[in-house]
Amino acid sequence: MILAGLQKNSFIDFPGKISCVLFVTGCNFICPYCHNADLARGEYPARFELTAIIDFLKSRRGMLEGVAITGGEPTLDRGIVDLCRAVKALGYPVKLDTNGSRPGVLRQLISEHLVDFIAMDIKAPLHDYSPFSRNPTIHEQMTASIRTIMESAPAYEFRTTCAAPFINGTTVEAIAKSIEGAACYVLQPFNRRAACLDPEFNQKQDPGLSADEMQRLKPRAAPFVKRCVIR
Ligand code: SF4
């Protein structure tokens, strides 16, 4: 497996842990507001062999408390299971970011105890994913991933990036209903300064929501989940 990037320290990518972050290249989604456009297109210039990552993790034992794996979409890479197995063999907890499009991979990682925390993005109500995926049946995979995570992941959160025109009170409520009973639902504001996969997305309009607008979203989602936070 070839990794596209390594961030040596992070205090925000693995809840409650100081972690490093591994970046897997390539994605099957087309989110217009994606901040990792080069990674999503599979064009990221950096390359790290798995052996180099393993050597780095060995050298950081006792300093790092976990390893966060993100992308792109990490579950697309055939090497994800072996990567998680190698990281776990070194004694590190693994946190995985996913867009939820590969429920079978999530099932395997969970059943083999290769992942400790899963953060799954939900971009929009499941019946309205056309701005994010070209797959007309993606809602089936999303639903399967949600069910798998809620039923069997050791720890998890669902997350929504709040950007217009996709997110408002009605759509947030619909998303929250699709994860009813979930342990944690995170609403995260769109970073309006970042470059996007669709270069015009934040040029021709301001997709960001104000702090007040974010606060007004929370009570629309909170009744359906155990914990709802704005991050
Ligand atoms: S934001 Fe969308 S396009 Fe970008 S990496 Fe995540 S799922 Fe892929």
Side-chain angles (χ1 to χ4, degrees):
M1 183 179 195
I2 307 289
L3 288 151
L6 164 65
Q7 183 181 328
K8 293 183 176 176
N9 293 292
S10 171
F11 296 93
I12 60 172
D13 284 281
F14 196 148
K17 296 190 187 304
I18 302 168
S19 71
C20 67
V21 187
L22 307 181
F23 294 88
V24 180
T25 191
C27 189
N28 53 350
F29 276 15
I30 49 170
C31 312
Y33 53 63
C34 177
H35 292 165
N36 290 330
D38 289 345
L39 277 172
R41 291 193 206 100
E43 296 170 352
Y44 207 71
R47 290 286 183 270
F48 294 87
E49 299 284 348
L50 182 55
T51 49
I53 297 293
I54 297 302
D55 287 346
F56 166 77
L57 291 176
K58 284 179 180 172
S59 75
R60 293 299 170 107
R61 274 180 170 144
M63 289 177 271
L64 290 175
E65 299 168 335
V67 176
I69 303 174
T70 190
E73 174 48 40
T75 61
L76 295 180
D77 194 301
R78 287 166 183 249
I80 187 64
V81 174
D82 286 342
L83 172 63
C84 292
R85 195 173 282 127
V87 173
K88 291 287 287 182
L90 293 172
Y92 289 102
V94 170
K95 182 245 188 177
L96 179 76
D97 290 340
T98 181
N99 63 19
S101 62
R102 301 291 301 278
V105 177
L106 297 180
R107 270 193 291 274
Q108 182 178 2
L109 292 172
I110 293 169
S111 67
E112 295 187 26
H113 307 289
L114 299 179
V115 64
D116 300 275
F117 192 107
I118 295 177
M120 176 177 155
D121 291 333
I122 304 181
K123 316 285 183 184
L126 302 185
H127 62 272
D128 194 17
Y129 249 65
S130 58
F132 306 99
S133 170
R134 297 187 179 98
N135 178 351
T137 62
I138 189 64
H139 61 282
E140 295 174 11
Q141 285 102 71
M142 301 292 295
T143 301
S145 290
I146 289 169
R147 193 176 305 127
T148 294
I149 289 170
M150 288 182 62
E151 288 175 355
S152 55
Y156 66 89
E157 66 186 22
F158 298 104
R159 310 181 298 199
T160 294
T161 296
C162 298
F166 311 116
I167 294 302
N168 53 45
T170 303
T171 54
V172 155
E173 189 173 312
I175 294 169
K177 284 179 178 172
S178 70
I179 55 169
E180 188 161 8
C184 184
Y185 180 36
V186 179
L187 302 171
Q188 44 194 24
F190 170 75
N191 177 356
R192 61 193 78 189
R193 291 184 300 277
C196 296
L197 182 59
D198 174 356
E200 294 192 353
F201 180 70
N202 56 349
Q203 299 300 320
K204 56 192 176 193
Q205 59 190 339
D206 180 1
L209 273 58
S210 68
D212 281 351
E213 288 172 315
M214 292 294 301
Q215 286 298 335
R216 283 199 291 273
L217 291 179
K218 189 173 170 183
R220 300 294 296 267
F224 302 99
V225 295
K226 293 192 173 113
R227 192 163 72 98
C228 179
V229 296
I230 297 172
R231 185 182 290 154

